[in-house]
Amino acid sequence: HELAHIFLEFFGDLPSDRLESAALLWETRILEENETLWWQGEPSVEIAFVTRGSLSVHIAEEEIAILGVGDLLGEASVFTKEDRTASITALERTELLLLSTSHLETLRSSHPDMYDRILNSSLNKMAQRVQQMGKEIAKLAIGDSARPMRKEESTLKKFWKKLTGSGNKAPPNLTSILRKLPKLRSASKEVLQQIIDASKPHFVEMTNPIFLEGEQGDSVFILAEGCIDVKRNIMGGKSEKLATLYPGALFGTGSLLLSEKRNAACVASEQTDVWIFEFDRNAYSQLSGESGRLWRESLIAALSFQLRNADDRLVSLKLGGSPTISDFDKIRGALEGYHG
């Protein structure tokens, strides 16, 4: 009952008996004041849930966040199997419940409802971090091109498409594209088919936007063919290119997860037409069970990729040259809410 009470705020409406049955998977750990739980750069082998006390999240000796009772920490690094991006130290005597990566896998099979709650929390946290870093980039960038805009298709072009049938192109096979995602490489045909059935294909001609910054969005996309430029608006009617996406890339995750407007534009490159497959919020919520779980784990990997790209771009803008590891640390430390 005590464990169920401690988890109540985070795990919400999950039945108490479900929480208690998972108790043996969690390990209790006590940290004394100034004792470090994890060091930046070390492998991620566990997640932690704070049940008493508080901790400081710091990068290169600069505190970037304080965590307290009810906070879940370290899960993003565990899901992506990346090293810790920050160190975490107790500010006072602190009690934690820890879940190892092996026990997280056990939780996935034996208590999927609890696992899904942790998975969704990690997705939302990473989407917020991507959004925060995009704002920082927009403040510093001077722009490398004009802002993308929607173009009205001419009557002549519409007529030509109808005459030649060029507007009726067949979409590519999505199965081989989904297999590019690490979490779906070994997925069953049934799981892949459920994901495919939830998608809607779109053909986009070169230089045309899939969506623009500031537009309302409630869907995520996977790029099947061609290349896409991700651009962020800055002052003076210009835009800054954040990244170029290639087949297999997932994008648009932030608006789907946070129910906010698009924080960047995604535009078909100047060299290629593109095929994309769209998953709206309704399709996303209906993907349940193993297919939904694997799809959400794939989204975490996509967000991790976006964070690494944003890291590179932000540090380049701050320094105007090739950064060192310590330069990354200093700039990450200046971002409010940035922690692993």
Side-chain angles (χ1 to χ4, degrees):
H1 293 289
E2 182 182 358
L3 181 63
H5 175 72
I6 291 169
F7 278 8
L8 185 60
E9 184 175 351
F10 183 83
F11 289 105
D13 55 355
L14 298 186
S16 296
D17 60 339
R18 296 288 292 157
L19 300 179
E20 291 177 351
S21 66
L24 293 177
L25 296 175
W26 297 78
E27 168 199 348
T28 302
R29 186 177 301 175
I30 304 293
L31 294 181
E32 300 300 334
E33 184 178 355
N34 295 324
E35 187 177 352
T36 297
L37 173 64
W38 301 319
W39 291 102
Q40 180 186 356
E42 71 178 29
S44 303
V45 296
E46 60 194 0
I47 63 173
F49 191 91
V50 186
T51 57
R52 185 175 297 134
S54 57
L55 304 105
S56 167
V57 182
H58 50 102
I59 295 176
E61 299 183 359
E62 182 168 352
E63 184 174 84
I64 60 172
I66 295 177
L67 305 175
V69 176
D71 281 329
L72 186 71
L73 56 146
E75 76 278 24
S77 297
V78 166
F79 279 118
T80 58
K81 294 181 171 56
E82 295 175 345
D83 292 342
R84 300 292 183 194
T85 57
S87 300
I88 299 182
T89 302
L91 293 171
E92 57 186 312
R93 196 169 194 268
T94 299
E95 182 178 296
L96 302 157
L97 288 172
L98 284 88
L99 186 71
S100 68
T101 51
S102 61
H103 283 165
L104 182 64
E105 285 300 313
T106 300
L107 201 69
R108 191 185 191 282
S109 57
S110 64
H111 292 72
D113 45 2
M114 188 180 292
Y115 177 88
D116 287 347
R117 196 66 55 91
I118 295 171
L119 179 59
N120 290 333
S121 172
S122 183
L123 274 168
N124 288 330
K125 181 188 292 186
M126 293 182 75
Q128 289 166 0
R129 285 167 56 186
V130 169
Q131 188 177 69
Q132 172 70 19
M133 295 191 77
K135 290 177 181 178
E136 294 292 326
I137 289 170
K139 290 177 186 176
L140 296 171
I142 59 174
D144 52 21
S145 59
R147 288 188 183 184
M149 299 178 65
R150 293 198 180 279
K151 304 167 189 174
E152 188 66 35
E153 193 172 51
S154 68
T155 303
L156 181 60
K157 192 168 186 179
K158 290 178 182 177
F159 174 75
W160 178 254
K161 279 185 178 179
K162 188 174 182 179
L163 185 67
T164 62
S166 60
N168 300 317
K169 299 176 184 290
N173 186 337
L174 185 55
T175 301
S176 60
I177 302 301
L178 291 175
R179 291 286 187 201
K180 290 179 180 287
L181 303 177
K183 291 293 182 178
L184 295 176
R185 281 175 188 159
S186 58
S188 68
K189 292 181 180 179
E190 291 75 19
V191 163
L192 291 183
Q193 192 58 52
Q194 288 177 32
I195 295 173
I196 291 170
D197 290 343
S199 71
K200 182 187 298 183
H202 301 280
F203 176 77
V204 183
E205 294 183 329
M206 63 179 70
T207 75
N208 284 341
I210 291 90
F211 53 76
L212 295 175
E213 181 177 340
E215 291 183 345
Q216 197 63 48
D218 68 346
S219 55
V220 66
F221 301 85
I222 184 168
L223 176 57
E225 281 185 4
C227 298
I228 288 173
D229 291 330
V230 183
K231 299 186 175 186
R232 179 97 192 197
N233 292 344
I234 61 171
M235 299 293 289
K238 292 186 176 181
S239 68
E240 180 79 8
K241 186 164 78 171
L242 303 182
T244 298
L245 306 180
Y246 301 94
L250 284 161
F251 62 99
T253 313
S255 292
L256 174 70
L257 297 172
L258 304 178
S259 299
E260 295 182 354
K261 293 180 179 179
R262 302 291 185 187
N263 60 15
C266 283
V267 183
S269 79
E270 296 179 356
Q271 288 78 38
T272 64
D273 297 331
V274 304
W275 272 103
I276 55 174
F277 286 78
E278 180 180 14
F279 301 80
D280 62 22
R281 182 166 288 118
N282 183 55
Y284 176 79
S285 61
Q286 288 185 2
L287 275 175
S288 58
E290 184 65 6
S291 58
R293 210 158 288 124
L294 286 169
W295 184 237
R296 285 163 175 78
E297 289 168 346
S298 296
L299 295 184
I300 282 186
L303 286 169
S304 177
F305 170 79
Q306 290 176 41
L307 279 171
R308 289 195 300 273
N309 271 281
D311 263 352
D312 291 344
R313 191 67 191 125
L314 185 59
V315 174
S316 297
L317 287 170
K318 289 245 184 190
L319 300 179
S322 300
T324 65
I325 292 176
S326 61
D327 292 327
F328 277 98
D329 294 343
K330 180 186 287 188
I331 291 166
R332 282 180 180 140
L335 297 178
E336 181 181 353
Y338 185 100
H339 58 85

